[in-house]
Amino acid sequence: GTCLNVGCIPTKTLLNSAKHYLHAQEAPQFGVHADNIRFDMAEMAAWKKKTVETLCSGVASLMKRLKVDVVMGTGELVAAGKVKIAETGEVHEAKAVIIAAGSVPAMPPIPGTKDNKKLLDSTALLELTQVPENLCVIGGGVIGIEFASLFGTLGSKVTVIEMMDRIVPAMDAEVSKNLRLILERKGMSILTGTKLQEIIEEDGKLRIKVEGKDDIIANKALLSIGRVPDLEGIGDVEF
């Protein structure tokens, strides 16, 4: 459910809205003029929500048509072939159980990252209805760069911190190099080979301390250093 609810689909929906806004700004050079070009983040968020709900409804209809029983709730494997639903206490039994809970954002053991309301993961960032003036993206992988591009296009002053020597390090080096040039031309600051040391909340903002460079001040920060398997549903069952 991550991709459809809080992953690829809502992210690409917002990116598409940002693309339309960017194209409208660039239109005059092609002889197309529109006055008072603006965007409304709350309306973009509403469109994203409607898109997700429409696709979720389609999947639900598909399950019904295929006669698949869908139980809404939090499942936990309590014994071989037995799954307990936390909300109701009922237990469902089967010959085989497929655990497909997906993944959750990784949390580094760095001072200031725990219980910090201004430090958001990708799920929380998708719920913003206002564009932060300054956004620090911690992690220059695919997720981090997607959000950096989105909010940079919408006017945030974006700083990306990446510990590796280049952004999107899992991609081809030439792609990484050209993508960095494109983002920097848009006004983003990208710090590669940079290690996060501590995050301090002060005066309603975040002071982000990094190794060997000046502190970064931001209204919000995205923590996107990767994802780890969500194994909570396995419980105490041994294999």
Side-chain angles (χ1 to χ4, degrees), residues 14-221:
L14 289 177
L15 281 167
N16 190 49
S17 294
K19 182 181 71 173
H20 284 299
Y21 174 61
L22 180 62
H23 284 180
Q25 290 178 303
E26 296 173 340
Q29 65 180 307
F30 303 106
V32 179
H33 299 272
D35 296 329
N36 301 319
I37 297 169
R38 65 181 183 86
F39 70 89
D40 188 309
M41 189 64 188
E43 290 180 6
M44 290 170 60
W47 169 247
K48 172 210 70 177
K49 182 180 178 182
K50 182 179 179 181
T51 301
V52 169
E53 288 175 347
T54 299
L55 293 176
C56 283
S57 177
V59 173
S61 297
L62 179 63
M63 294 296 100
K64 186 176 181 180
R65 188 162 68 249
L66 295 175
K67 303 186 185 312
V68 176
D69 293 329
V70 178
V71 179
M72 305 302 292
T74 305
E76 181 182 2
L77 194 64
V78 292
K82 294 184 178 182
V83 177
K84 182 178 180 181
I85 308 302
E87 288 79 1
T88 63
E90 61 185 19
V91 176
H92 295 265
E93 296 188 43
K95 286 185 177 181
V97 176
I98 297 174
I99 300 174
S103 61
V104 294
M107 180 66 68
I110 294 174
T113 57
K114 187 176 181 180
D115 299 326
N116 190 326
K117 293 182 179 180
K118 292 186 179 295
L119 180 64
L120 310 176
D121 60 20
S122 58
T123 300
L125 200 64
L126 281 169
E127 295 304 311
L128 291 185
T129 55
Q130 291 185 333
V131 175
E133 181 181 354
N134 294 278
L135 175 68
C136 181
V137 176
I138 302 167
V142 172
I143 295 174
I145 293 302
E146 275 194 324
F147 280 106
S149 178
L150 169 64
F151 284 97
T153 299
L154 298 179
S156 287
K157 184 178 179 181
V158 177
T159 301
V160 177
I161 301 171
E162 170 55 47
M163 189 168 64
M164 304 291 283
D165 61 355
R166 59 188 178 93
I167 59 172
V168 288
M171 298 181 70
D172 183 85
E174 187 174 355
V175 171
S176 175
K177 178 182 177 181
N178 288 328
L179 183 56
R180 176 171 185 160
L181 289 173
I182 292 169
L183 296 177
E184 287 180 332
R185 286 194 196 107
K186 290 185 176 183
M188 299 181 203
S189 177
I190 298 178
L191 308 177
T192 51
T194 301
K195 186 177 180 181
L196 177 66
Q197 292 182 314
E198 184 180 7
I199 299 177
I200 302 170
E201 188 171 350
E202 59 181 23
D203 300 326
K205 295 185 178 182
L206 295 175
R207 178 179 294 276
I208 299 165
K209 305 182 79 65
V210 295
E211 193 175 81
K213 295 182 176 68
D214 294 337
D215 295 350
I216 300 160
I217 306 299
N219 303 96
K220 301 282 187 183

Side-chain angles (χ1 to χ4, degrees), residues 74-78 86 99 101-102 104 228-237:
T74 305
E76 181 182 2
L77 194 64
V78 292
I99 300 174
V104 294
V228 294
D230 183 359
L231 304 177
E232 187 176 351
I234 292 179
D236 297 324
V237 175

